[in-house]
Amino acid sequence: MIARELISTTIPVLHPNDAGTEALRLMNEFHVTQLPLVAEDKYAALIDEDTVLDWDNPDILLEAAPYGNLKPAIPEQAHHLEALKLFYEFKLSVLPVVSKENDYLGLISKDTLLAALAQFNAVKDPGGLIALDLDPRDYSLSEIARIAESNDVSILSVQTITDPQTGRLEVLLKTNRLDLQALVATFERFNYTIKYLFSETEEEDLVKKNYDLLMNYISM
């Protein structure tokens, strides 16, 4: 998924002849903490709420205001993971999308990016989660996939993160199956350490158990 596909046009932009108070009003109305400043269709800067609040005179026009050098943006052909990196690095609520000529094309909102990440990582698809704990040298996605396939389980997405304290690798697998006990047993047979497991079957059993307890209590 590329940046151009995530563009939102519902959030407005700011112009040089807008005042700081207008910027704050729009940020409040659209529930964001930044808005892009656009001059003659070119992206000029990202106006931040905290910066405007620090001004002695918020009625000053943006063209004459000390709005700083904050100018994060993403090319229209960039991957959505690059957008995620910029959101994290600059603590953004919106991210401008620009052309090669710096033409302002629109922006990506935090909500839009979150929805894209959920879709990309198969969050909405039914299935359980398994987290494996292993040494980075032992990581083999092909072997993990082979073990899953041997249990008739498809891996819908894979996420990895390295623990900065231990150097160990956590591999999070989103699967298409609800019952993962057989897969867990196979992983353990191949000397994989299961860090944690979330199975929707277990959650459904817990809900049913709690419901039965409630019904028994009501019947007393």
Side-chain angles (χ1 to χ4, degrees), residues 14-152:
L14 299 171
H15 300 93
N17 59 352
D18 287 329
T21 50
E22 174 67 4
L24 292 175
R25 185 189 70 79
L26 289 173
M27 289 179 198
N28 180 69
E29 179 179 345
F30 288 89
H31 307 289
V32 295
T33 55
Q34 297 100 13
L35 281 175
L37 175 63
V38 177
E40 298 180 353
D41 296 326
K42 301 292 185 180
Y43 172 52
L46 194 63
I47 306 301
D48 186 80
E49 180 182 49
D50 289 339
T51 299
V52 179
L53 291 172
D54 286 340
W55 294 348
D56 293 332
N57 178 18
D59 290 318
I60 189 174
L61 299 183
L62 296 178
E63 61 185 358
Y67 51 74
N69 298 317
L70 183 64
K71 196 178 177 179
I74 189 168
E76 58 180 317
Q77 295 293 338
H79 194 268
H80 74 271
L81 292 181
E82 180 63 24
L84 178 63
K85 176 183 176 182
L86 291 172
F87 267 91
Y88 177 78
E89 181 179 351
F90 291 97
K91 297 179 174 58
L92 301 177
S93 62
V94 298
L95 176 63
V97 181
V98 298
S99 69
K100 292 181 180 179
E101 294 76 26
N102 197 44
D103 294 318
Y104 176 78
L105 302 177
L107 58 77
I108 300 173
S109 70
K110 184 184 294 185
D111 290 343
T112 300
L113 180 60
L114 183 61
L117 290 171
Q119 179 182 353
F120 186 77
N121 291 293
V123 170
K124 293 183 178 181
D125 296 333
L129 296 169
I130 297 180
L132 306 176
D133 176 65
L134 63 155
D135 189 293
R137 295 172 297 181
D138 298 329
Y139 175 57
S140 171
L141 183 56
S142 61
E143 181 178 74
I144 291 172
R146 180 181 58 79
I147 293 172
E149 290 170 1
S150 71
N151 283 270
D152 196 26

